[in-house]
Amino acid sequence: MPPRRAVRKLIRAVAASRPRRRIRLENDERRAQLLQLARKAFSDRSYDEVSIDDLAREAKISKGLLYHYFPTKRDLYVAGLTEIANELVERVTTVPQNLTPAERVRAGLDAYLDHIWQHSRAFVSLMRGGIGSDPEVAQVIEGTRKRLFDNFLDDTAFAPLLVKDLKFQTAIRGWIGFVEGASLDWCAKPQLDRAALRDLLSQVLFAILQVVVPGAAVT
């Protein structure tokens, strides 16, 4: 191939690639915008009260284009829940690894409570769901619980027990359920301050550990 033809071909290839990259960037930004709008809408109103027409109007796009990104309202709702769940798990599981087990528990609870207080409506939406017993919504919620269970005491002295002791596993899952219930109540009626709630939740966990693992060092 003559050099000039090769250069022209290369230039055309580079030029052709630019719009595709720009379109991809625009698609990602548009999807993120729609998710942000949906998260706010589903946090402020019930699932049935949220209208795709209203979301499309607020995003200044056609309803058909919105359906291009999310084929159904349910798809949009589940995507928003998944994003909320990922943020929550990431916040809780980035606690420093060099703390004692008790310090990690308190630091994890601090991160958890700080995050859900900042996003209380979204947290309530996640944990209570919005479309009944939908299996995909239930999967997101249960997946959140499992990831918290798998990571909360990871790399501590209790980690081997989580694998081997079924009684210990049951106790920790039950405690996570208690934390959820107390947190939902706190978001709705914050009668305790955050530090008092953190201390209560950690003390309950330490008491449980003393029952299922007598003599365990948690301080």
Side-chain angles (χ1 to χ4, degrees):
M1 179 183 296
R4 290 183 180 177
R5 290 182 58 192
V7 171
R8 286 197 296 268
K9 186 174 182 180
L10 179 60
I11 292 173
R12 285 196 298 269
V14 171
S17 67
R18 288 174 180 167
R20 286 195 292 271
R21 287 199 296 270
R22 182 177 179 181
I23 289 171
R24 174 60 184 273
L25 179 61
E26 290 174 349
N27 286 344
D28 290 345
E29 290 175 345
R30 178 67 72 186
R31 188 177 189 279
Q33 177 199 16
L34 293 173
L35 275 175
Q36 188 64 29
L37 289 174
R39 285 176 54 170
K40 183 178 185 307
F42 288 124
S43 296
D44 292 341
R45 307 191 294 278
S46 71
Y47 178 82
D48 290 334
E49 291 173 333
V50 175
S51 163
I52 287 293
D53 289 327
D54 291 341
L55 289 175
R57 190 179 306 111
E58 189 171 353
K60 298 180 180 179
I61 62 174
S62 69
K63 187 165 67 172
L65 182 57
L66 192 153
Y67 283 131
H68 168 75
Y69 292 97
F70 300 98
T72 67
K73 184 169 79 167
R74 175 180 173 277
D75 290 326
L76 181 57
Y77 179 81
V78 171
L81 285 185
T82 301
E83 193 170 70
I84 293 168
N86 290 339
E87 290 173 358
L88 178 62
V89 172
E90 181 180 2
R91 181 74 177 267
V92 173
T93 57
T94 52
V95 172
Q97 299 287 320
N98 60 344
L99 302 176
T100 67
E103 288 171 339
R104 285 197 65 191
V105 167
R106 294 188 185 98
L109 285 170
D110 277 332
Y112 176 84
L113 294 172
D114 284 346
H115 187 72
I116 68 172
W117 183 250
Q118 292 170 13
H119 308 281
S120 59
R121 289 180 175 177
F123 171 75
V124 172
S125 178
L126 168 65
M127 302 316 297
R128 288 185 172 162
I131 45 180
S133 58
D134 183 276
E136 197 165 356
V137 171
Q139 185 177 6
V140 173
I141 295 172
E142 185 56 34
T144 303
R145 292 174 180 143
K146 184 178 185 305
R147 290 160 67 192
L148 292 173
F149 172 80
D150 289 342
N151 288 286
F152 195 70
L153 296 178
D154 191 30
D155 294 331
T156 73
F158 304 116
L161 293 173
L162 285 171
V163 176
K164 298 177 181 179
D165 192 323
L166 294 179
K167 186 168 65 171
F168 188 64
Q169 292 181 30
T170 300
I172 295 302
R173 289 194 178 96
W175 177 74
I176 289 175
F178 170 69
V179 172
E180 286 179 14
S183 301
L184 287 168
D185 182 68
W186 181 62
C187 286
K189 299 177 181 178
Q191 296 175 326
L192 290 177
D193 62 36
R194 187 191 59 75
L197 179 59
R198 185 274 317 278
D199 290 343
L200 172 63
L201 297 176
S202 60
Q203 288 163 8
V204 169
L205 175 62
F206 299 154
I208 290 172
L209 292 176
Q210 290 298 327
V211 171
V212 297
V213 191
V218 296
T219 56

